[in-house]
Amino acid sequence: MDAQSIRQKFNNYFINKNHEKINSSSLIPENDPTLLFANAGMNQFKDYFTGNAIPKNKRAVTIQKCVRAGGKHNDLENVGLTSRHHTFFEMLGNFSFGNYFKKEAIFFAWDFLTNELNIPEKKLFVTVHHSDNEAYDIWTNIIGINKDNIFRKGDKDNFWEMGEFGPCGPCSEIFYDYGKEHADKKLSLNKDQDFIDDECRYIEIWNLVFMQFEKTPEGKFDLPKPSIDTGTGLER
């Protein structure tokens, strides 16, 4: 399957789920002094998450052009050292602005990967924030993922922030298993690591961000309505 086929499948899947197709924003964000470059699909929707603007459609799908060469999500130091880090890339994303939340977002991602792209379920692993019992229950009791294939992680891995300030929240990531032949033979696990931390064998392909908070210079506050921000790197 080529890249254009994946783009079309992604757009069509979410358009059929009543998401409005929105064009990629400029790489230079408009009216946002917190960012030099667009670093995620949600940047252009920040005001929808915070309640400062009202969207025409509470569901959106985009293919966003992104640059990560500095700031919080800085991939520059890893470019050339891994097969998955790039300064410029396309981020596929589906969004809910107070319309649906964890259950639907998790279902959409799993359904697209396993039914639209035909990725075998046994090749997929999941992480959730260590405090997010709701997401854990959805994955295990509704989706039916094996409990051995789901891991609880802390803020470093499973709490997403667009920058120092802005909308943020716990997240759930989906990983693909390349196979044991790709395992990092030099990896030495310690008590703070899981086998999924082997970046040679397992690659994160989808991030489901459960937007619940906004960070400001004054502190962290609840968003008006829980929302969804997802991202899956096209090149991955």
Side-chain angles (χ1 to χ4, degrees), residues 13-64:
Y13 179 86
F14 284 101
I15 289 171
N16 289 333
K17 302 294 184 184
N18 300 316
H19 291 64
E20 180 183 359
K21 176 67 175 73
I22 305 293
N23 291 332
S24 170
S25 67
S26 168
L27 281 176
I28 308 298
E30 297 181 9
N31 303 317
D32 191 344
T34 68
L35 293 172
L36 179 61
F37 299 111
N39 67 353
M42 59 77 59
N43 294 159
Q44 66 172 311
F45 303 127
K46 184 165 70 171
D47 285 344
Y48 294 161
F49 289 121
T50 61
N52 292 325
I54 305 299
K56 293 180 180 178
N57 191 323
K58 293 183 178 181
R59 299 184 177 198
V61 57
T62 67
I63 300 178
Q64 174 66 46

Side-chain angles (χ1 to χ4, degrees), residues 110 113-115 117-125 149 174-177 205:
W110 191 255
L113 291 173
T114 59
N115 292 319
L117 298 187
N118 296 314
I119 297 176
E121 294 185 10
K122 65 181 181 180
K123 300 287 284 185
L124 299 174
F125 293 75
N149 292 357
I174 304 173
F175 288 75
Y176 176 80
D177 178 10
I205 57 173

Side-chain angles (χ1 to χ4, degrees):
M1 186 180 299
D2 58 29
Q4 185 56 25
S5 296
I6 295 174
R7 292 187 188 96
Q8 290 176 344
K9 277 182 172 289
F10 189 85
N11 281 331
N12 291 341
Y13 179 86
F14 284 101
I15 289 171
N16 289 333
K17 302 294 184 184
N18 300 316
H19 291 64
E20 180 183 359
K21 176 67 175 73
I22 305 293
N23 291 332
S24 170
S25 67
S26 168
L27 281 176
I28 308 298
E30 297 181 9
N31 303 317
D32 191 344
T34 68
L35 293 172
L36 179 61
F37 299 111
N39 67 353
M42 59 77 59
N43 294 159
Q44 66 172 311
F45 303 127
K46 184 165 70 171
D47 285 344
Y48 294 161
F49 289 121
T50 61
N52 292 325
I54 305 299
K56 293 180 180 178
N57 191 323
K58 293 183 178 181
R59 299 184 177 198
V61 57
T62 67
I63 300 178
Q64 174 66 46
K65 297 176 177 65
C66 298
V67 169
R68 290 185 178 176
K72 183 170 181 61
H73 300 285
N74 179 13
D75 291 340
L76 188 59
E77 294 179 356
N78 293 312
V79 172
L81 299 179
T82 77
S83 62
R84 64 188 183 88
H85 287 99
H86 306 270
T87 50
F88 172 82
F89 59 93
E90 294 177 74
M91 183 72 80
L92 313 177
N94 62 286
F95 305 86
S96 164
F97 312 116
N99 181 259
Y100 61 82
F101 202 40
K102 296 180 184 179
K103 181 179 177 181
E104 294 86 350
I106 289 172
F107 171 80
F108 289 154
W110 191 255
D111 185 47
F112 182 79
L113 291 173
T114 59
N115 292 319
E116 295 294 321
L117 298 187
N118 296 314
I119 297 176
E121 294 185 10
K122 65 181 181 180
K123 300 287 284 185
L124 299 174
F125 293 75
V126 170
T127 64
V128 297
H129 192 265
H130 63 74
S131 67
D132 196 344
N133 293 325
E134 180 183 4
Y136 184 90
D137 288 342
I138 293 169
W139 278 116
T140 56
N141 295 326
I142 297 179
I143 300 300
I145 192 169
N146 190 310
K147 291 184 178 181
D148 292 335
N149 292 357
I150 186 168
F151 303 87
R152 294 179 183 265
K153 299 284 190 178
D155 287 355
K156 180 178 180 297
D157 297 296
N158 282 83
F159 193 92
W160 197 90
E161 304 167 85
M162 63 171 284
E164 183 178 3
F165 302 116
C168 56
C171 62
S172 179
E173 297 179 327
I174 304 173
F175 288 75
Y176 176 80
D177 178 10
Y178 279 123
K180 61 182 180 181
E181 64 273 19
H182 295 276
D184 185 351
K185 304 299 190 298
K186 299 178 181 179
L187 185 66
S188 177
L189 296 179
N190 60 42
K191 62 182 178 64
D192 296 320
Q193 290 181 300
D194 299 300
F195 64 76
I196 202 172
D197 294 322
D198 182 347
E199 294 187 350
C200 293
R201 176 172 177 176
Y202 302 95
I203 181 171
E204 177 222 323
I205 57 173
W206 202 309
N207 190 12
L208 304 162
V209 183
F210 309 128
M211 287 293 191
Q212 296 174 248
F213 309 105
E214 179 182 10
K215 280 191 174 181
T216 72
E218 290 74 38
K220 185 172 73 173
F221 306 94
D222 290 341
L223 289 176
K225 294 181 180 179
S227 298
I228 289 296
D229 157 32
T230 82
T232 179
L234 175 64
E235 78 288 349
R236 298 186 184 184

